[in-house]
Amino acid sequence: TMSLHGKRKEIYKYEAPWTVYAMNWSVRPDKRFRLALGSFVEEYNNKVQLVGLDEESSEFICRNTFDHPYPTTKLMWIPDTKGVYPDLLATSGDYLRVWRVGETETRLECLLNNNKNSDFCAPLTSFDWNEVDPYLLGTSSIDTTCTIWGLETGQVLGRVNLVSGHVKTQLIAHDKEVYDIAFSRAGGGRDMFASVGADGSVRMFDLRHLEHSTIIYEDPQHHPLLRLCWNKQDPNYLATMAMDGMEVVILDVRVPCTPVARLNNHRACVNGIAWAPHSSCHICTAADDHQALIWDIQQMPRAIEDPILAYTAEGEINNVQWASTQPDWIAICYNNCLEILRV
């Protein structure tokens, strides 16, 4: 048998017992190759698995599986780069849930629910966890709202909403479903966030002035925008993509409504976008054409013709995540597989 200490593996693969949809890297420094995976099963009973790479055997090991109602639309570990907070994982689906991860089991820490007075729940499409203040999370919903939650108290700190006109905390987010939300690193990194949705717009909000929002982009065909992703190093740039679209649009908030770049080498619809954690000019896109592409956008606003790296998976890639604390690793998932790739 060959020694593992020779050539380091470039790809590690894990096969889950179900289709993988949501997926994300742990952030803690003491849990390097740990990820959470969410099942996509079209029924009530779904699962979340916590997997870790055993660096001795070079195999992924499932450390923990727990039940989750409905598929998770997104999952995120607490953005705790120093390992000082409790080991928490959040998931969105019918509600926002925060889980506490132990050595052997994961238990529900809290369930954050807007609609205290109704049996009806509007599913959450996505959420984001604030990196500057880990007690702050924001959710987006098909009921046209974005809600900002305070974790210590479980209280709503702000809400933007079209349908009911309660002043101060509930104002217009979008005219239709909201599909994604992301905090910006601008202005201290705590108060600014953006959202995208079925009305085809990207909107910027400030928690201190929720009565206003700024439209920074509108899809020319008014196609729904599904994802929104801020550049990790330069808060002026963000990326978005339309439903069933084959291109990713890069925007500069200083130049509203005019894309600074379009990344359009994919041959089928794009499902995921991830900016490099350590570089302002690298971004990864992943699509139904089985491809994960890494782009260098340094020469913007000149056209970006081709990616600098391409990886072809064995299936349609439905998610891509770039490890924030290990910038040379990207994770993708397709079918029932997770792969981590050294870049």
Side-chain angles (χ1 to χ4, degrees):
T1 59
M2 270 182 59
S3 156
L4 278 176
H5 304 290
K7 180 166 162 44
R8 298 178 305 169
K9 279 179 70 168
E10 305 297 312
I11 301 174
Y12 296 92
K13 183 174 180 177
Y14 174 75
E15 294 191 39
W18 20 254
T19 300
V20 181
Y21 178 66
M23 169 271 290
N24 225 325
W25 292 90
S26 172
V27 179
R28 290 176 73 94
D30 57 341
K31 303 279 188 194
R32 274 174 32 98
F33 287 95
R34 181 175 68 162
L35 296 101
L37 309 174
S39 67
F40 186 83
V41 182
E42 291 192 40
E43 52 183 69
Y44 180 79
N45 297 315
N46 274 262
K47 302 279 185 196
V48 172
Q49 279 193 348
L50 309 184
V51 303
L53 187 65
D54 179 64
E55 297 192 45
E56 289 294 296
S57 68
S58 289
E59 299 289 333
F60 270 110
I61 293 168
C62 178
R63 310 249 183 235
N64 199 241
T65 302
F66 59 93
D67 292 323
H68 193 281
Y70 304 105
T72 52
T73 51
K74 185 173 180 177
L75 35 80
M76 272 184 96
W77 298 83
I78 184 167
D80 178 13
T81 51
K82 296 191 175 67
V84 294
Y85 292 93
D87 198 8
L88 301 179
L89 173 75
T91 59
S92 53
D94 50 351
Y95 300 107
L96 181 65
R97 291 177 175 80
V98 179
W99 309 82
R100 185 181 287 253
V101 177
E103 281 307 306
T104 52
E105 59 161 13
T106 301
R107 63 167 206 273
L108 185 63
E109 185 83 354
C110 62
L111 182 149
L112 299 170
N113 172 15
N114 269 343
N115 310 324
K116 294 284 190 284
N117 53 359
S118 106
D119 299 332
F120 169 76
C121 93
L124 301 175
T125 49
S126 188
F127 72 97
D128 194 21
W129 205 324
N130 191 289
E131 290 179 5
V132 173
D133 178 357
Y135 289 107
L136 215 54
L137 295 97
T139 57
S140 57
S141 170
I142 63 167
D143 69 1
T144 77
T145 66
C146 290
T147 303
I148 306 298
W149 297 93
L151 196 54
E152 294 135 304
T153 56
Q155 297 299 310
V156 173
L157 301 182
R159 195 152 169 222
V160 283
N161 172 330
L162 173 80
V163 189
S164 55
H166 295 219
V167 278
K168 285 217 172 106
T169 56
Q170 293 186 303
L171 295 153
I172 298 170
H174 285 267
D175 305 329
K176 295 179 177 171
E177 299 90 335
V178 188
Y179 289 135
D180 204 4
I181 180 173
F183 287 105
S184 159
R185 289 191 172 181
R190 191 185 178 277
D191 297 296
M192 318 276 283
F193 65 94
S195 63
V196 291
D199 63 4
S201 68
V202 180
R203 293 175 192 241
M204 270 301 277
F205 295 91
D206 185 326
L207 270 176
R208 297 156 298 191
H209 310 286
L210 283 176
E211 62 280 7
H212 304 292
S213 72
T214 311
I215 295 181
I216 49 180
Y217 178 70
E218 286 187 290
D219 183 84
Q221 277 81 46
H222 302 289
H223 289 161
L225 297 176
L226 284 193
R227 290 279 169 269
L228 145 86
C229 210
W230 286 101
N231 187 305
K232 301 286 187 218
Q233 294 295 325
D234 185 336
N236 290 311
Y237 293 107
L238 72 157
T240 186
M241 66 196 206
M243 186 183 284
D244 302 324
M246 291 193 276
E247 70 172 13
V248 168
V249 172
I250 312 282
L251 306 169
D252 181 338
V253 294
R254 297 162 299 188
V255 193
C257 302
T258 312
V260 280
R262 296 174 182 278
L263 311 178
N264 49 20
N265 282 43
H266 282 291
R267 296 290 165 260
C269 74
V270 178
N271 297 317
I273 307 170
W275 287 94
H278 59 306
S279 151
S280 63
C281 54
H282 292 95
I283 187 170
C284 183
T285 59
D288 274 356
D289 60 5
H290 300 203
Q291 296 241 299
L293 306 177
I294 295 180
W295 307 79
D296 181 344
I297 58 166
Q298 251 175 126
Q299 63 193 36
M300 293 188 315
R302 294 209 306 280
I304 315 293
E305 299 289 341
D306 289 303
I308 53 169
L309 268 175
Y311 174 74
T312 305
E314 291 164 28
E316 299 179 350
I317 304 176
N318 49 40
N319 202 331
V320 57
Q321 299 289 340
W322 204 318
S324 59
T325 46
Q326 294 150 253
D328 37 356
W329 290 94
I330 286 177
I332 59 169
C333 55
Y334 59 90
N335 303 334
N336 67 322
C337 298
L338 160 76
E339 284 184 347
I340 64 169
L341 319 169
R342 187 197 299 275
V343 294

